[in-house]
Each structure stands twice: as C-alpha cells, then as structure tokens.
Amino acid sequence: AAAGSAGDIALDLSSVEYFDSGGSVALLGLQQKLTGSGRALRVEAATAEIEGLLRLIDFEALARPLTQGEAVVESVPERIGQATLDMLADARELVAFIGEVILGLRDALLHPAQVRWLDTWSYMHRTGIAALPIVSLISFLMGLITAFQAAVQLRQFGADIYIADLVGLSITRELGPLMTAIIAAGRSGAAFAAEIGTMKVSEEVDALTTMGLDRTRFLVTPKVLALLFMLPCLTLYADVVGILGGLAVASGGFDIPIVVYLRQTAFAMSAWDVFSGLLKSVAFALLIAGVGCLRGFQAQTGAASVGRITTSAIVAGIFLIIVTDAIFTVLFHYWA
C-alpha cells in the first residue's frame, strides 16, 4: 500500500511474502515516475530478505540516463603506450607459440608413433589433393601470361626461342612457389584458423587442456606436418603446369616446335632453380600453418571473432609470404 502527502510516497512492504528482481524493476519504474513529477519514493516495513535484495541494486545508477555517442578521448601518449603494450603482448605470444611448434615438430621426429597420422593424412588430402584444380588453373594461366608478355619484347629481336628460358626460370624460381603459397594461405591457412577458432569459441580447446592434452601437439602438429609434406609437392606440380602453359603459347601462337621448346627449357634451367623454389615452399608452409593456427587460438567469443581471425590469418599469411620471398631472393642472389 502507498500512503503519504502530496510530497513523498511511502511504500509499505510488510505484507509482501515474495519479492524478486521483477519487483525491483517495478519499484524502479515507480521511482522514475515519481521523480519525474517531483516526488520521491520511500520503502517502509520491508523484511530482511527484501532489504538485502534492495541493497544490491543501485537505483540511482539505473535511473541515470544513458549517454550515447560519447567516446573516451585518449591522449597521444596513452594511445602510444597501449599500442606498445599490445605489440609486446603479441610478440610474447608469438615467441611462446613458435617454441611450442618447434617442440611439437621435434617430438614428431623423435617419436613418430605419437603423431596423429590419421588426422595428418586427412589434412594432407585437404591441403594437397583438394587444391590441385585451383593450382592447375592458376599455374597454367601464369605460364601463359608470362609467355605472352615475354614474346612481346623478344619477337622484336627474333629471339622467340628464349620464351622458354624466361618462362622456365620465372616459374620455378618465383611464380610457382609464390602463387602456390598464396593459394594455400587463402585455403589452408584460413581453414586452420577457422577450425581452431571455432573450437576456441566453443571451449573445446579448454576442454583439451583440462583433459591434460597438449593443444599444440594435438591440433597444430598434424596441420604443420601436412602442409610441410604437400606444399613442396604442389609447388613442383605448379612448376610443371606453368611450363606447359608457356609451351602452349610458344607452340600454338609462335610456331615453336614442342621438342625445341622443351630442350631449350632444360638447357636454361638447372637443378638449383627447382630446388630453390622447393626450399621457399618449405618456409612458406611453416608460415602459413603457423599463422593460421596462431590466429585460431587468438579467437575470442562469438562468430564475429572467428571471421576476424580468419581474415587476419589470410592477410598476415600473404604478407609474410611476400616478405620471406623477398628475403630468399636477396640471399640467393648473393650467396647461391
């Protein structure tokens, strides 16, 4: 019952037998109405249970209007400091993850029986055999485009035969491993990040840790091994398909005999040209699998987080691939 003068309103709760959060909401609504009319609400004769519940609620904070669109303005030093702390935290996490991956690969070499080979074969199929159609198309088109671009200049000097040299060297040294790695980053790196990210969001990774299983050896090592095995194979396949793309242009568009083209390609290339591309692919495989798995472990809560870390895995993977390729190119130029 409510009683009082024209000013404050006194609410007697002595007869109330049950009171929960719904009653608190009703009190808040009544208080807001009275406040709008210039009056106040006073609760009287409440039981100990009701008073305990009411003390837990900050009616003033709930009644305070929400402010929207007000952004907290940080000073420049604060933003620099926060960015520095974030970078240090990311670097620490990266170093720890690299150590875990190295230990996992070491244990896989020393104790092969402990590797989850069934999962490794499954990932090899997904990262290798399933990628053959797109790798075939991209590699053939790269060889074809390179041959056409080379012919534009070489025909001016009557040196059409050197199309084979340019296509063979550019495909085996650069375009083959680089394009294959970019395709793998878009397919396998994103898949690894999405898979582990979904497990992280659904707390499956925490469940593995609770069960005493090493998350890196259980989830990361099979993926890294699968890509280490399959990316060099895909690179070698891309080299062959790319050279065939150049052959199609040379024989179909410039009347160069197939035997002559293949002989010139073999004469221009050496074993090091192919091996250098395969060496790059090994480094690319480690980067793609490592970045994809690391981004997966960095997922927070919600489906939006999985989408963000998947995109981040692709972007970071492609960026690191190009940077690593540039480093290898400089090293091979001076020391190979």
Coordinates of all heavy atoms in Angstrom, one line a residue, residues 97 101 196 215-225 289-290 293-294 297:
F97 N 54.4 -19.4 -28.9 CA 53.8 -20.3 -29.9 C 54.9 -20.9 -30.8 O 54.8 -22.1 -31.1 CB 52.8 -19.6 -30.7 CG 52.0 -20.5 -31.7 CD1 51.1 -21.3 -31.3 CD2 52.4 -20.4 -33.0 CE1 50.4 -22.2 -32.2 CE2 51.7 -21.2 -33.9 CZ 50.7 -22.1 -33.5
V101 N 55.6 -25.0 -31.3 CA 55.6 -25.6 -32.6 C 56.9 -26.4 -32.8 O 56.9 -27.5 -33.2 CB 55.3 -24.6 -33.7 CG1 55.5 -25.3 -35.1 CG2 53.9 -24.1 -33.6
I196 N 40.3 -24.0 -35.6 CA 40.8 -23.8 -34.3 C 40.0 -22.7 -33.6 O 39.7 -22.8 -32.4 CB 42.3 -23.6 -34.2 CG1 43.0 -24.8 -34.8 CG2 42.7 -23.2 -32.8 CD1 44.5 -24.6 -34.8
R215 N 47.7 -28.8 -26.5 CA 46.9 -28.3 -27.6 C 47.7 -28.2 -28.9 O 47.2 -28.4 -30.0 CB 46.3 -26.9 -27.2 CG 47.4 -25.8 -27.1 CD 46.8 -24.5 -26.9 NE 47.8 -23.4 -27.0 CZ 47.6 -22.1 -27.0 NH1 46.4 -21.7 -26.9 NH2 48.6 -21.3 -27.2
T216 N 49.0 -27.9 -28.7 CA 49.9 -27.7 -29.9 C 50.1 -29.1 -30.6 O 50.0 -29.2 -31.8 CB 51.2 -27.1 -29.5 OG1 50.9 -25.8 -28.9 CG2 52.1 -26.9 -30.7
R217 N 50.5 -30.1 -29.8 CA 50.7 -31.4 -30.4 C 49.5 -32.0 -30.9 O 49.5 -32.8 -31.9 CB 51.4 -32.3 -29.4 CG 52.8 -31.8 -29.0 CD 53.5 -32.8 -28.1 NE 54.8 -32.4 -27.7 CZ 55.1 -31.7 -26.6 NH1 54.2 -31.5 -25.7 NH2 56.4 -31.4 -26.3
F218 N 48.3 -31.7 -30.3 CA 47.1 -32.4 -30.7 C 46.5 -31.7 -31.9 O 45.9 -32.4 -32.7 CB 46.1 -32.3 -29.5 CG 44.9 -33.2 -29.6 CD1 44.9 -34.5 -29.3 CD2 43.7 -32.7 -30.1 CE1 43.8 -35.3 -29.5 CE2 42.6 -33.5 -30.3 CZ 42.7 -34.8 -30.0
L219 N 46.5 -30.4 -32.0 CA 45.9 -29.6 -33.0 C 46.8 -29.0 -34.1 O 46.4 -29.0 -35.2 CB 45.1 -28.4 -32.4 CG 43.9 -28.8 -31.4 CD1 43.3 -27.6 -30.8 CD2 42.9 -29.6 -32.1
V220 N 48.0 -28.6 -33.7 CA 48.8 -27.9 -34.6 C 49.8 -28.8 -35.4 O 49.9 -28.6 -36.6 CB 49.6 -26.8 -33.8 CG1 50.6 -26.1 -34.8 CG2 48.7 -25.8 -33.1
T221 N 50.4 -29.7 -34.7 CA 51.4 -30.6 -35.3 C 50.9 -31.3 -36.6 O 51.6 -31.3 -37.6 CB 52.0 -31.6 -34.3 OG1 52.6 -30.9 -33.2 CG2 53.1 -32.4 -35.0
P222 N 49.7 -31.9 -36.5 CA 49.2 -32.6 -37.8 C 49.0 -31.6 -38.9 O 49.3 -31.9 -40.1 CB 47.9 -33.2 -37.3 CG 48.0 -33.4 -35.9 CD 48.8 -32.2 -35.4
K223 N 48.6 -30.4 -38.6 CA 48.4 -29.4 -39.7 C 49.7 -29.0 -40.3 O 49.9 -28.8 -41.5 CB 47.6 -28.2 -39.2 CG 46.2 -28.5 -38.7 CD 45.5 -27.3 -38.1 CE 44.1 -27.6 -37.7 NZ 43.9 -28.6 -36.7
V224 N 50.7 -28.7 -39.4 CA 52.0 -28.3 -39.9 C 52.7 -29.4 -40.7 O 53.2 -29.1 -41.8 CB 52.9 -27.8 -38.7 CG1 54.3 -27.5 -39.2 CG2 52.3 -26.6 -38.0
L225 N 52.6 -30.6 -40.3 CA 53.2 -31.7 -41.0 C 52.6 -31.9 -42.4 O 53.2 -32.1 -43.4 CB 53.2 -33.0 -40.2 CG 54.0 -33.1 -38.9 CD1 53.8 -34.4 -38.2 CD2 55.5 -32.9 -39.3
A289 N 50.9 -22.5 -42.0 CA 50.3 -23.3 -40.9 C 50.4 -22.6 -39.6 O 49.5 -22.6 -38.8 CB 50.9 -24.7 -40.9
G290 N 51.6 -22.0 -39.3 CA 51.8 -21.4 -38.0 C 50.9 -20.2 -37.8 O 50.3 -20.1 -36.7
C293 N 47.1 -21.3 -37.4 CA 46.8 -21.9 -36.1 C 46.9 -20.9 -34.9 O 46.1 -20.9 -34.0 CB 47.8 -23.1 -35.8 SG 47.6 -24.5 -36.9
L294 N 47.9 -20.0 -35.0 CA 48.1 -18.9 -34.0 C 46.9 -18.0 -34.0 O 46.3 -17.7 -32.9 CB 49.3 -18.1 -34.3 CG 49.6 -16.9 -33.3 CD1 49.7 -17.4 -31.9 CD2 50.8 -16.2 -33.7
F297 N 43.9 -19.7 -32.2 CA 44.0 -19.6 -30.8 C 43.7 -18.3 -30.2 O 43.4 -18.1 -29.0 CB 45.4 -20.1 -30.3 CG 45.6 -21.6 -30.4 CD1 46.7 -22.1 -31.1 CD2 44.7 -22.5 -29.9 CE1 46.9 -23.4 -31.2 CE2 44.9 -23.9 -30.0 CZ 46.0 -24.3 -30.7

